Amino acid sequence: MQQTKNSAFSVHTKVFGQLPDGREVSLVTLKNSNGVELDVTNYGGIITRLITPDAKGLPGDIVLGYDNLQQYLDNNPYFGAIIGRFGNRIAKGQFELDGKKYQLATNDGDNHLHGGVQGFDKKLWQMQPFQNDHGVGVVLSYLSVDGEEGYPGNLQVKVTYTLTHSNELQMQFQATTDQTTPVNLTQHSYFNLAGSGSILEHELEIPAAQITPVGPGLIPTGQLQAVAGTPFDFRTAKAIGRDIAAEDAQLKLGLGYDHNFVLKASPDKSLVLAGRVFEPNSGRVLEVWTEEPAVQFYSGNFLDGTLTGKGVHYAHRSGFCLEPQHYPDAPNQSSFPSTLLQPGETYSTQIVYRFSIKS
């Protein structure tokens, strides 16, 4: 076990297990002086544990996850993972680029989801812990080779997690390629700010005036739909469960909320609020900030109690996700902001989790 620390922070590294091919998997624990603590493994860049204090100062784990590596290998619905090469769905796993058609893995019915059968969430990343005046963290790096899951080009990816003095987890995503390729990276933590139970009483704000409505298979129709007067209006904070059972065609397609909310009229590098969540019993507040033009809000609709971790059965809607991203199916929708990365360019985006309490 390796350990480095100063008066404010500490970093611990230990062995988490082995992959079936014998490669060793590591787990790093990052701590700050304010009671925020997280575990990160280089398998999938997964955040396995995230401890924050509640309004009474009592620490609690606010992310869904498992107890050991084998559970992540057996059946992981993207708990805590880095998602790539392309977060969310691509229709029929197909797109055309420079006159050539590409066929990706179809791992969500007829569609491609979250990078395919062996996406970035199932890869062993290089991981280097660090600490500086700003905080403690890890640098994760991975080379996605040309043709992996059907994508063109060798894509060199680097993701940096930094836990700061100010109770932020800052995540910087970077990538370069030697061929034009779509790239849409995100982080897929499932949160429950109460630590367990239903998330339906969590109060959510998403400052988005539009969503990209979906059709069958949750593929966007290509249109934009105003949230005003619909169950998708979270511009003023409300309980996640307030309208989740409303008679609404989009909710029926998603079996709840599983939709892309538009944060910006056009993509830029400004850091904007993607979502703010308050859990009344614990007093915990989570803010998600991003440079991305949109965020996917998922209300844990497919959790059904069959998965167990940390002594908890993950029941229906016992976790939620806020996944900053470009629009789903962007490679096939010319009206959506482009996700194409060209040789000589650097893909760069940032996601920040801010933790606080409100009494």
Side-chain angles (χ1 to χ4, degrees):
M1 178 181 292
Q2 296 176 325
Q3 178 177 351
T4 61
K5 63 182 179 180
N6 60 25
S7 60
F9 296 112
S10 67
V11 184
H12 302 259
T13 304
K14 68 178 183 180
V15 175
F16 193 44
Q18 286 188 334
L19 297 180
D21 62 9
R23 287 179 295 166
E24 187 175 278
V25 177
S26 299
L27 187 76
V28 171
T29 298
L30 307 173
K31 298 180 182 180
N32 75 6
S33 58
N34 303 317
V36 179
E37 180 176 333
L38 71 148
D39 290 349
V40 182
T41 174
N42 58 336
Y43 176 73
I46 293 170
I47 297 170
T48 64
R49 190 176 65 110
L50 179 49
I51 304 294
T52 66
D54 66 11
K56 296 178 180 178
L58 300 175
D61 191 352
I62 62 169
V63 294
L64 279 57
Y66 291 130
D67 304 291
N68 56 65
L69 176 62
Q70 191 59 49
Q71 289 178 290
Y72 286 103
L73 295 174
D74 289 344
N75 184 8
N76 183 23
Y78 309 102
F79 285 159
I82 294 171
I83 302 299
R85 231 179 247 201
F86 196 95
N88 217 305
R89 294 166 176 85
I90 296 177
K92 299 181 180 178
Q94 298 175 345
F95 63 90
E96 187 172 319
L97 185 58
D98 297 330
K100 182 178 179 180
K101 292 184 177 179
Y102 291 87
Q103 179 64 58
L104 310 175
T106 51
N107 60 319
D108 184 52
D110 295 332
N111 302 315
H112 178 81
L113 176 66
H114 290 336
V117 177
Q118 292 285 322
F120 291 179
D121 60 295
K122 297 179 180 68
K123 300 299 183 180
L124 188 65
W125 296 61
Q126 298 294 316
M127 181 167 63
Q128 184 63 48
F130 69 87
Q131 72 177 75
N132 53 36
D133 291 340
H134 192 49
V136 287
V138 294
V139 178
L140 294 144
S141 55
Y142 176 69
L143 174 62
S144 176
V145 298
D146 180 31
E148 184 175 284
E149 294 296 309
Y151 288 97
N154 294 293
L155 188 76
Q156 183 66 56
V157 187
K158 183 172 77 170
V159 180
T160 304
Y161 293 161
T162 306
L163 177 63
T164 73
H165 291 286
S166 55
N167 295 342
E168 292 186 348
L169 178 59
Q170 300 174 349
M171 296 168 281
Q172 183 69 46
F173 299 76
Q174 292 180 306
T176 56
T177 184
D178 59 2
Q179 294 181 50
T180 303
T181 188
V183 182
N184 184 27
L185 308 181
T186 192
Q187 221 291 335
H188 204 296
S189 285
Y190 286 66
F191 290 97
N192 185 317
L193 301 187
S196 63
S198 171
I199 50 89
L200 295 181
E201 295 304 313
H202 286 53
E203 296 175 8
L204 172 64
E205 174 192 349
I206 302 176
Q210 296 172 310
I211 62 168
T212 51
V214 296
L218 299 182
I219 298 297
T221 64
Q223 307 301 308
L224 297 178
Q225 176 181 308
V227 301
T230 79
F232 293 84
D233 194 347
F234 286 93
R235 291 174 296 177
T236 300
K238 67 179 180 182
I240 290 173
R242 193 182 85 177
D243 298 323
I244 203 167
E247 283 295 316
D248 180 271
Q250 286 296 306
L251 287 174
K252 289 181 179 178
L253 283 165
L255 302 177
Y257 296 106
D258 195 358
H259 292 77
N260 178 61
F261 287 70
V262 178
L263 302 172
K264 299 178 179 180
S266 58
D268 59 33
K269 299 303 291 181
S270 63
L271 197 65
V272 298
L273 181 68
R276 179 183 290 111
V277 190
F278 170 60
E279 201 286 304
N281 292 316
S282 67
R284 289 189 181 94
V285 178
L286 167 69
E287 293 181 0
V288 179
W289 292 76
T290 183
E291 296 176 8
E292 289 295 286
V295 63
Q296 184 86 0
F297 168 46
Y298 171 56
S299 53
N301 311 316
F302 295 105
L303 297 173
D304 60 4
T306 58
L307 303 178
T308 302
K310 307 176 185 180
V312 176
H313 294 287
Y314 293 129
H316 192 224
R317 294 177 179 151
S318 60
F320 69 88
C321 304
L322 288 169
E323 308 154 54
Q325 60 177 15
H326 268 59
Y327 302 1
D329 199 36
N332 295 310
Q333 310 245 8
S334 59
S335 64
F336 287 177
S338 175
T339 54
L340 294 181
L341 179 66
Q342 309 285 349
E345 297 177 341
T346 298
Y347 172 97
S348 178
T349 192
Q350 185 179 191
I351 299 170
V352 178
Y353 296 156
R354 291 181 182 170
F355 311 108
S356 60
I357 53 175
K358 184 175 75 173
S359 56

